[in-house]
Amino acid sequence: MNKTTLLHEGKAKKVFLTDDADLVIQEFKDDATAFNNKKKGSIADKGVVNNAISCRLFSMLEEHGVETHLVEKLTERDMLCRRLDIIKVEVVVRNIAAGSLVRRYGFPEGTVLAKPIVEFYLKDDDLDDPLMIAEHAVALGVATMDELAVLKSRAEAINDVLKKFFADRKLKLVDFKLEFGRHKGEILLGDEISPDTCRFWDLDTDEKMDKDRFRFDMGGVEDAYTEVQRRVLELD
Ligand code: TMP
């Protein structure tokens, strides 16, 4: 399968059309941004690591009955995917308070939530991806109420699978972001799942092993990503 035209270039990935109208190739870059592009940098070999982690997690989710856009891992940086009409809703699932939950609502960082929280954000960089309620998404025409109900229950099911998968690998799944898209009448999980889009804390030490190390200049970014990759890929 060959890349033809560049369809879209995002902050961490490029998406290319292929000879097959139903398939695209997602190429993972080393570029890193945070706070909606206000902080820019690069993480050595991040594209290779995030592609490997995402492909493994998507195929593991498929084994648990979650439909995703993954077709196959093509090369170090390239993932062959079903082409999606992306739903402009970022779905965040939270198990432990961190990040904007701490900033907005004053939870002490690390508070274990009695029940996971699912949030919807509008996928719109110009507006800084604002938090929204389902009614906003429907009024904006980005999704129907039925689709949002599917996104919420799908996100909860994915959380159950991922939480166990990571606990077995001595990582706490603090929170994460998912994107979904429409493909031939179905809703599939799209985008990526990686240390860019999740918060992982070491089960024993609570050490942060994700993009927060880049966001807050904590050092050891590459080592943290590589260690997550090792735990995801080697402990099968
Ligand atoms: P937050 O605490 O900053 O709202 O982030 C929640 C989770 O979502 C965290 O795991 C990081 C992820 N995330 C993204 O993947 N992309 C984004 O643009 C944002 C804001 C968060």
Side-chain angles (χ1 to χ4, degrees), residues 90 92 94 98-101 103-104 119 121 129 175-177 196-199 211 215:
E90 298 194 357
V92 168
R94 302 180 184 274
S100 64
L101 200 68
R103 252 193 349 266
R104 282 197 193 103
E119 299 170 337
Y121 291 82
D129 297 345
D175 56 31
F176 59 99
K177 185 261 305 181
D196 271 12
T197 63
C198 303
R199 286 194 175 93
K211 199 164 107 178
R215 290 190 185 98

Side-chain angles (χ1 to χ4, degrees), residues 11-228:
K11 295 190 286 272
K13 296 184 291 298
K14 292 179 185 174
V15 180
F16 293 89
L17 295 175
T18 67
D19 309 322
D20 183 332
D22 284 335
L23 301 178
V24 294
I25 293 172
Q26 197 167 256
E27 179 188 315
F28 287 73
K29 305 191 288 184
D30 290 346
D31 301 348
T33 67
F35 313 115
N36 196 20
N37 240 341
K38 287 179 195 74
K39 180 180 173 76
K40 290 188 187 153
S42 142
I43 300 173
D45 282 336
K46 172 169 83 76
V48 175
V49 170
N50 282 0
N51 186 33
I53 293 172
S54 293
C55 287
R56 172 70 189 111
L57 293 176
F58 277 65
S59 71
M60 186 275 295
L61 286 168
E62 291 271 358
E63 286 161 21
H64 284 83
V66 178
E67 291 186 298
T68 80
H69 70 158
L70 173 70
V71 177
E72 62 173 326
K73 183 171 187 278
L74 281 183
T75 68
E76 273 199 324
R77 288 176 185 273
D78 289 350
M79 176 175 177
L80 183 64
C81 304
R82 294 176 187 87
R83 185 175 179 180
L84 301 182
D85 164 27
I86 281 287
I87 299 174
K88 296 202 167 301
V89 176
E90 298 194 357
V91 184
V92 168
V93 183
R94 302 180 184 274
N95 297 308
I96 298 174
S100 64
L101 200 68
V102 169
R103 252 193 349 266
R104 282 197 193 103
Y105 304 104
F107 286 93
E109 187 180 67
T111 308
V112 178
L113 302 168
K115 189 176 173 293
I117 297 175
V118 179
E119 299 170 337
F120 297 133
Y121 291 82
L122 178 64
K123 185 172 162 60
D124 186 329
D125 282 345
D126 294 339
L127 295 174
D128 265 348
D129 297 345
L131 180 65
M132 64 179 173
I133 59 172
E135 284 76 3
H136 291 138
V138 174
L140 285 163
V142 295
T144 66
M145 211 36 113
D146 287 349
E147 285 178 327
L148 293 162
V150 171
L151 300 196
K152 181 163 188 280
S153 64
R154 215 59 86 76
E156 287 167 340
I158 291 167
N159 186 39
D160 288 342
V161 175
L162 290 181
K163 250 195 319 200
K164 164 141 195 353
F165 180 89
F166 284 109
D168 289 346
R169 286 154 180 79
K170 298 254 180 251
L171 289 171
K172 290 183 193 172
L173 180 61
V174 174
D175 56 31
F176 59 99
K177 185 261 305 181
L178 301 172
E179 296 186 23
F180 295 86
R182 307 176 187 95
H183 179 85
K184 299 184 175 174
E186 302 289 331
I187 292 181
L188 308 183
L189 178 66
D191 196 50
E192 65 178 284
I193 303 179
S194 71
D196 271 12
T197 63
C198 303
R199 286 194 175 93
F200 301 117
W201 295 352
D202 181 82
L203 198 67
D204 297 323
T205 65
D206 275 345
E207 190 187 350
K208 295 183 197 310
M209 301 187 57
D210 53 61
K211 199 164 107 178
D212 272 352
R213 302 199 75 86
F214 168 80
R215 290 190 185 98
F216 302 110
D217 298 317
M218 297 168 71
V221 186
E222 281 87 359
D223 286 350
Y225 276 61
T226 309
E227 177 59 17
V228 171

